[in-house]
């Protein structure tokens, strides 16, 4: 019998994606362990969001393998199917129901796609309440549970949206530039929130803000021209000459 192959929560192997002749993703190999908090950095246009589109089924790769857990081929599945497997994605701009309370927003995401009216008026079980209370604590919004989501600050809306994903108990959470538009204090709190999720979920965070990356960094992957340029600790990648050239060096000139 063959020894069991190392099992990754997510594996992309030999992935390519071309848009009108432009190679957005080139021979991309990416492996992630269960429970990992992984940060992906890279200059604009490096293919970071396209990589998330491929994982979540919004974009189909031209070639390559995309697998979730043991032998679950994501390339043959659509967006809702992939979501149901336990892959949640947080886009850059928060999309919460502004006319509903924070609690109701969490309730809606927990109950799934049954329509706002049905979800809010169907009986809420004590298990559902407990789960929402736990999420409220995790995202630091317990005191705001009965406030309308539309009244939250930008940062609080972002945390609520992370909470809405957490209510669905995802195995893998993809978070695209969570600190964009946040104050320094909100950014720091976001880092603490993501760190508190480590080990409970597998998480990929795409981020530009290097102070924030330093705060949350475990293993960092640098993407460049749709390919992994290097991987390592934040110090490893910041000291890598190729990275300085393509990313950090370029940023300093701006
Ligand atoms: P990043 O998120 O790292 O800034 P993206 O993944 O958004 O980069 O984009 C990578 C490259 O692919 C960019 O040059 C972008 O213009 C191109 N691209 C992404 N999505 C599409 C699309 N749907 N159609 C055409 N080009 C696209
Ligand atoms: Mg992007």
């Amino acid at each position: 019998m063959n020894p069991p192959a190392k099992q990754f929560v997510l594996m992309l192997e030999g992935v390519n994606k071309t848009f009108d002749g432009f190679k957005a993703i080139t021979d991309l190999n990416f492996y992630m362990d269960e429970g990992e908090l992984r940060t992906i950095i890279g200059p604009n246009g490096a293919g970071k969001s396209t990589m998330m589109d491929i994982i979540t089924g919004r974009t189909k790769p031209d070639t390559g393998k995309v697998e979730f857990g043991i032998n679950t081929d994501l390339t043959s599945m659509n967006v809702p199917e992939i979501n149901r497997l336990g892959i949640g994605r947080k886009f850059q701009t928060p999309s919460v129901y502004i006319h509903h309370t924070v609690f109701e927003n969490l309730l809606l995401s927990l109950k799934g796609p049954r329509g706002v009216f049905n979800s809010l008026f169907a009986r809420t079980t004590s298990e559902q309440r407990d789960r929402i209370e736990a999420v409220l604590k995790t995202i630091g919004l317990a005191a705001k549970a009965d406030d309308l989501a539309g009244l939250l600050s930008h940062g609080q809306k972002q945390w609520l949206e992370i909470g809405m994903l957490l209510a669905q108990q995802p195995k893998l959470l993809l978070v695209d530039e969570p600190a964009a538009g946040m104050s320094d204090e909100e950014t720091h709190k976001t880092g603490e929130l993501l760190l508190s999720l480590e080990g409970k979920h597998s998480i990929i965070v795409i981020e530009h803000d290097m102070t924030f990356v330093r705060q949350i960094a475990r293993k960092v992957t640098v993407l460049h021209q749709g390919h992994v340029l290097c991987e390592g600790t934040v110090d490893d990648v910041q000291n890598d000459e190729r990275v300085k050239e393509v990313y950090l060096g370029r940023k300093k000139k701006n």
Side-chain angles (χ1 to χ4, degrees), residues 136-252:
L136 281 168
K137 253 188 220 154
T138 305
I139 60 175
L141 292 180
K144 302 260 176 200
D146 298 325
D147 290 7
L148 286 182
L151 300 177
L152 298 176
S153 72
H154 171 74
Q156 290 168 335
K157 282 189 188 124
Q158 298 277 31
W159 302 331
L160 174 56
E161 207 188 351
I162 292 174
M164 290 165 74
L165 292 171
L166 293 177
Q168 298 169 358
Q169 300 181 306
K171 293 192 188 96
L172 174 63
L173 196 57
L174 309 175
V175 191
D176 203 345
E177 298 193 28
M182 283 191 182
S183 67
D184 289 351
E185 195 194 333
E186 286 178 332
T187 301
H188 187 77
K189 275 196 187 169
T190 305
E192 288 181 341
L193 166 57
L194 292 170
L195 287 168
S196 78
L197 303 177
E198 188 182 19
K200 297 178 193 154
H201 309 263
S202 307
I203 311 166
I204 300 179
V205 183
I206 291 178
E207 191 46 63
H208 277 295
D209 177 339
M210 283 310 289
T211 310
F212 181 66
V213 170
R214 261 197 183 274
Q215 183 195 348
I216 63 165
R218 299 292 190 250
K219 190 170 181 179
V220 179
T221 297
V222 184
L223 216 62
H224 175 55
Q225 296 178 345
H227 191 79
V228 174
L229 185 68
C230 82
E231 272 178 350
T233 65
V234 69
D235 286 323
D236 290 342
V237 303
Q238 278 198 310
N239 291 324
D240 188 292
E241 289 305 321
R242 295 162 305 173
V243 176
K244 284 187 195 166
E245 179 104 357
V246 305
Y247 179 68
L248 303 162
R250 184 160 118 178
K251 213 176 167 188
K252 269 185 210 132

Side-chain angles (χ1 to χ4, degrees), residues 95-97 100-112 119-120 124 128-142 144-147 149 152 156-169:
S95 56
V96 299
Y97 301 94
H100 288 285
T101 67
V102 168
F103 186 93
E104 287 167 345
N105 268 272
L106 293 170
L107 184 61
L108 287 168
S109 74
L110 185 151
K111 291 196 172 181
S119 292
L120 289 181
T124 307
Q128 288 171 330
R129 293 200 153 263
D130 289 350
R131 207 197 292 176
I132 293 173
E133 298 296 338
V135 171
L136 281 168
K137 253 188 220 154
T138 305
I139 60 175
L141 292 180
K144 302 260 176 200
D146 298 325
D147 290 7
L152 298 176
Q156 290 168 335
K157 282 189 188 124
Q158 298 277 31
W159 302 331
L160 174 56
E161 207 188 351
I162 292 174
M164 290 165 74
L165 292 171
L166 293 177
Q168 298 169 358
Q169 300 181 306

Side-chain angles (χ1 to χ4, degrees), residues 19 22 24 43-50:
F19 293 111
F22 176 81
N44 273 333
K48 303 180 298 296
S49 297
T50 304

Side-chain angles (χ1 to χ4, degrees), residues 1-5:
M1 231 170 47
N2 291 329

